[in-house]
């Protein structure tokens, strides 16, 4: 057993919310049930991946809205929403609305860059401005200003008999700006997030610098440290950093489940053995085994050593009962092995 000299403060989980295209409602309802289970088990947060034109959650804001009315305590986040698909003003309105309805439990995680497979969808997404859209950091800066309540226009006040207009995004949810996260995979993005008052989501996919050895844990550790240094220089003393690896505890798994989980890990392992593609993308190894075994691996992981909160990623394509078993083991076995105590 590892010795938790620095207890894990917040325990969360991340799901992609897959569904059968022939019966999409069932998958969405399963995701809501999993979030409800997470609250009952004491998890601090539940995070939703964002997928477009795939069989996963395309509207996490809507799912968070539904989840907020089925739960009372667990925080709800996105990891992450690609802003290239979004109008920042409209997204700010939607998130503020859900944040107010949830009692201030929303943690929006975002990223920038050109949308995935942009050439196949740009004619529908931005038919009149596809070649001039700005997918740089300025897009997320604009989004953050709108969430913060900065002025959108000069005009405000009453027009006509009953119409009342505001000069900022409405509704405004105080505190939401402080709960914005940036999904960074590179050193540059991690530093930028720290400089601009975002919290950091570091996941199981990162990009090393050209002079860095291809050691995932060491690269992730360097990025998180650079983020904290940048945040401190910018005066963001409360900046948070979270790590999100795939963990699959098998403490209470059946024999069939253990075999299924191991096949999943074996299929994904080759991509973790060396950098992938022209940018040298690196994937973290999935952690599978008993909770004590996983805890020992985490304590030895450079990235984990830099954080006191996590959002463990649930594997793709498993069945509902598998997620119940995995989440239960994380909450009842792995979390306590990491020094965490449930929030209920």
């Amino acid at each position: 057993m590892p010795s938790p000299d620095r207890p894990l403060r917040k325990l969360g989980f991340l799901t992609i919310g897959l569904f059968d295209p022939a019966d999409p409602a069932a998958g969405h309802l399963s995701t809501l049930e999993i979030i409800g289970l997470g609250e009952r088990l004491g998890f601090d947060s539940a995070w939703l991946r964002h997928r477009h034109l795939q069989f996963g959650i395309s509207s996490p804001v809507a799912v968070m809205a539904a989840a907020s009315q089925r739960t009372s305590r667990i925080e709800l986040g996105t990891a992450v929403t690609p802003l290239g698909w979004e109008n920042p003003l409209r997204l700010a309105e939607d998130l503020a609305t859900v944040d107010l309805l949830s009692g201030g439990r929303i943690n929006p995680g975002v990223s920038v860059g050109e949308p995935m497979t942009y050439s196949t969808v740009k004619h529908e997404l931005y038919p009149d401005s596809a070649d001039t859209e700005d997918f740089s950091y300025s897009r997320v800066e604009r989004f953050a200003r709108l969430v913060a309540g900065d002025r959108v226009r000069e005009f405000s006040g009453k027009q006509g008999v009953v119409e009342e207009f505001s000069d900022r995004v409405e509704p405004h949810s105080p505190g939401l700006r402080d709960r914005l996260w940036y999904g960074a995979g590179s050193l540059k993005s991690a530093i930028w997030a720290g400089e601009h008052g975002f919290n950091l989501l570091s996941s199981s996919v990162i990009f090393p610098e050209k002079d860095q050895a291809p050691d995932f844990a060491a690269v992730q550790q360097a990025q998180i440290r650079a983020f904290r240094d940048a945040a401190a220089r910018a005066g963001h003393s409360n900046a948070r950093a979270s790590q999100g690896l795939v963990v699959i505890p098998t403490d209470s798994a059946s024999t069939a489940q253990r075999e299924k989980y191991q096949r999943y890990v074996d299929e994904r392992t080759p991509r973790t053995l060396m950098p992938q593609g022209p940018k040298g993308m690196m994937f973290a190894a999935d952690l599978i085994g008993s909770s004590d075994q996983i805890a020992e691996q985490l304590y030895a992981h450079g990235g984990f050593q830099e954080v006191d909160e996590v959002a463990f990623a649930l594997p793709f394509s498993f069945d509902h009962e598998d997620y119940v078993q995995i989440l239960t083991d994380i909450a009842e076995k792995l979390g306590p092995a990491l020094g965490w105590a449930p929030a209920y």
Side-chain angles (χ1 to χ4, degrees):
M1 274 287 295
S3 176
D5 54 344
R6 188 184 51 144
L8 185 66
R9 185 171 60 89
K10 285 184 176 290
L11 177 65
F13 66 92
L14 167 65
T15 177
I16 195 171
L18 294 178
F19 59 82
D20 180 349
D23 183 19
H28 286 76
L29 291 172
S30 172
T31 297
L32 292 174
E33 291 172 7
I34 288 297
I35 293 172
L37 172 65
E39 175 160 285
R40 294 192 297 277
L41 289 170
F43 278 89
D44 297 286
S45 60
W47 300 76
L48 303 174
R49 288 192 186 273
H50 203 147
R51 289 292 184 266
H52 289 291
L53 302 180
Q54 293 179 263
F55 306 117
I57 294 172
S58 62
S59 183
V61 176
V63 175
M64 289 192 300
S68 75
Q69 303 307 294
R70 292 168 174 243
T71 58
S72 61
R73 178 196 53 79
I74 194 168
E75 294 186 348
L76 305 166
T78 60
V80 291
T81 295
L83 280 185
W85 286 82
E86 305 289 340
N87 179 300
L89 192 152
R90 281 290 301 115
L91 181 61
E93 291 176 331
D94 286 348
L95 287 169
T97 300
V98 178
D99 193 49
L100 291 168
L101 291 173
S102 73
R105 292 187 281 140
I106 302 303
N107 285 262
V110 299
S111 66
V112 295
E114 187 177 279
M116 187 181 298
T117 63
Y118 186 52
S119 63
T120 68
V121 74
K122 65 181 183 180
H123 61 288
E124 293 289 353
L125 187 59
Y126 299 113
D128 301 317
S129 59
D131 296 327
T132 58
E133 284 291 329
D134 183 3
F135 299 126
S136 70
Y137 290 132
S138 64
R139 196 180 190 94
V140 72
E141 289 174 6
R142 177 159 55 101
F143 167 70
R145 290 196 304 270
L146 295 168
V147 169
D150 286 6
R151 179 176 288 186
V152 174
R153 61 185 180 184
E154 297 298 324
F155 171 68
S156 65
K158 183 172 287 188
Q159 185 178 73
V161 179
V162 295
E163 293 285 355
E164 189 83 20
F165 293 89
S166 174
D167 58 4
R168 69 177 184 181
V169 166
E170 300 292 352
H172 175 66
S173 184
L176 182 58
R177 172 62 183 88
D178 295 333
R179 283 178 271 117
L180 294 185
W181 297 72
Y182 189 80
S186 69
L187 183 65
K188 176 183 176 182
S189 290
I191 293 173
W192 180 90
E195 292 174 340
H196 289 80
F198 286 82
N199 303 303
L200 177 71
L201 288 169
S202 187
S203 72
S204 57
V205 181
I206 58 175
F207 298 89
E209 299 298 293
K210 291 182 179 180
D211 60 346
Q212 286 181 305
D215 180 331
F216 184 98
V219 172
Q220 187 174 62
Q221 182 182 62
Q223 291 182 3
I224 297 173
R225 287 178 174 176
F227 162 78
R228 293 197 187 282
D229 289 344
R233 290 194 302 270
H236 304 303
S237 58
N238 296 321
R240 299 161 60 188
S242 174
Q243 183 201 44
L245 303 180
V246 175
V247 302
I248 311 176
T250 58
D251 303 85
S252 65
S254 67
T255 299
Q257 284 176 318
R258 294 186 184 197
E259 293 174 350
K260 173 182 178 178
Y261 301 167
Q262 191 62 57
R263 287 195 301 271
Y264 176 87
V265 172
D266 290 345
E267 290 175 358
R268 286 161 50 93
T269 295
R271 70 177 190 167
T272 71
L273 302 178
M274 63 185 67
Q276 305 289 312
K279 294 184 178 181
M281 180 167 54
M282 297 176 63
F283 293 92
D286 301 332
L287 303 183
I288 185 172
S290 71
S291 288
D292 286 349
Q293 290 172 329
I294 293 174
E296 186 174 5
Q297 293 178 74
L298 286 169
Y299 276 116
H301 193 287
F304 181 80
Q305 292 167 6
E306 298 299 319
V307 301
D308 62 0
E309 55 186 295
V310 295
F312 289 135
L314 296 178
F316 297 171
S317 305
F318 282 12
D319 296 321
H320 183 88
E321 57 267 27
D322 300 329
Y323 295 133
V324 171
Q325 176 266 311
I326 291 170
L327 280 181
T328 302
D329 280 355
I330 290 176
E332 297 181 352
K333 302 289 186 180
L334 179 56
L338 298 172
W340 171 81
Y344 51 63

